[in-house]
């Protein structure tokens, strides 16, 4: 069954080609007056001149008759020639026309969809980043960390606002980083050591706020928007040891936080990439407990 668009195009092509309905040929009928006079003998007792006058057509009526009036048609005249029928459009041509119409409509739809969207502004990018970070107070994700020396480590990240975060490194790494909302403990399971820091000394403290406001919480340095994503660079002068520079990298479409890069006061860079992010499951609260009993080195 042809689509309405294809059928409409076929009708348009037929109209454009000049095709018309052809009426059946009709045999012309002799004029009624001529018929009567031809079959009726001349009246008896009247002069021959009167008979001739009756058989002669009325000149005035003939002159007034329209050219197309069948009463004025000469019975011996040849019938008008019928117009030859227009060549029929082959079925293949109709199908091709329909396909062209459908294809043209599809191409138009693709062209509309392919129109470039308005570029994202700096303020819009910041608002969308904040909305993504504030979407849920909990997060569980896998992470891969590459340090300034090129060493690679991986593990599990747990977040539960306000203030709680845990980096649990997989073997052979022996480190753990745990925040309980007030302090941050950096543990080395192999050396059996633990260093404690105030949470406001860490470069990622703003990510643990109940509501993140990038323009108030930190100093915004730069916002870069491209096909690879959106990166927001910030500075924090209150971190331990001096000023830290942080770059948050978001997906271009979903604005999900996928990476961050931290440059510490000594210039060493650490890149953390997130995978399998889950913003619906609440982590176990015991993951954020810090043992403050022994082997403490408080900074």
């Amino acid at each position: 069954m042809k689509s309405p668009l294809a059928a409409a195009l076929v009708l348009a092509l037929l109209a454009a080609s000049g095709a018309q309905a052809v009426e059946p040929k009709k045999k012309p009928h002799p004029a009624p007056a001529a018929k009567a006079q031809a079959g009726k003998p001349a009246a008896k007792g009247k002069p021959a001149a009167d008979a001739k006058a009756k058989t002669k057509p009325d000149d005035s009526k003939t002159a007034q008759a329209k050219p197309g009036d069948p009463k004025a048609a000469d019975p011996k005249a040849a019938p008008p020639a019928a117009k030859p029928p227009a060549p029929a459009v082959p079925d293949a041509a109709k199908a091709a026309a329909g396909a062209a119409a459908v294809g043209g409509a599809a191409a138009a739809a693709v062209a509309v969809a392919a129109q470039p969207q308005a570029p994202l502004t700096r303020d819009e990018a910041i608002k969308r980043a904040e909305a993504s970070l504030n979407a849920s107070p909990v997060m569980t994700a896998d992470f891969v960390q590459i340090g300034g020396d090129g060493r690679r480590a991986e593990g599990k990240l747990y977040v539960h606002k306000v203030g709680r975060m845990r980096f649990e490194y997989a073997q052979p790494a022996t480190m753990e980083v745990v925040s309980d909302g007030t302090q941050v403990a950096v543990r080395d399971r192999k050396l059996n050591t633990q260093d404690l820091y105030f949470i406001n000394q860490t470069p990622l403290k703003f990510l643990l706020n109940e509501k993140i406001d990038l323009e108030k919480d930190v100093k915004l340095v730069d916002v870069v928007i491209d096909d690879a994503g959106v990166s927001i660079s910030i500075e924090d002068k209150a971190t331990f040891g001096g000023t830290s520079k942080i770059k948050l990298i978001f997906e271009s479409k979903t604005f999900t936080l996928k990476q961050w890069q931290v440059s510490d006061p000594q210039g060493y860079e650490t890149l953390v990439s997130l995978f399998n992010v889950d913003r619906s499951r609440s982590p176990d609260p015991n993951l954020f407990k810090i043992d403050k009993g022994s082997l403490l080195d408080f900074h």
Side-chain angles (χ1 to χ4, degrees), residues 115-133:
Q115 289 180 354
Q117 297 180 354
L120 197 66
T121 65
R122 177 184 182 275
D123 291 342
E124 290 172 342
I126 294 172
K127 289 180 180 179
R128 291 191 63 181
E130 291 173 345
S132 176
L133 294 173

Side-chain angles (χ1 to χ4, degrees), residues 187-217:
R187 302 171 179 164
D188 189 322
R189 296 187 299 267
K190 183 178 180 180
L191 300 177
N192 196 26
T193 61
Q194 176 173 275
D195 295 335
L196 292 178
Y197 302 86
F198 289 113
I199 193 171
N200 58 6
Q201 294 176 298
T202 61
L204 295 178
K205 58 182 180 290
F206 68 94
L207 292 178
L208 301 178
N209 291 343
E210 183 176 6
K211 184 176 180 180
I212 298 171
D213 189 331
L214 293 175
E215 293 186 300
K216 291 182 179 180
D217 297 341

Side-chain angles (χ1 to χ4, degrees), residues 26 36 46 48 51 77-78 81 93 106 112-113 115 133 138 140 146 191 207 220 227 251 253 267 283 297:
K26 297 181 180 179
K46 288 189 180 181
V112 171
Q115 289 180 354
L133 294 173
V138 297
T140 301
I146 300 177
L191 300 177
L207 292 178
L220 285 173
D227 295 338
E251 293 279 359
K253 294 182 179 179
D297 185 7

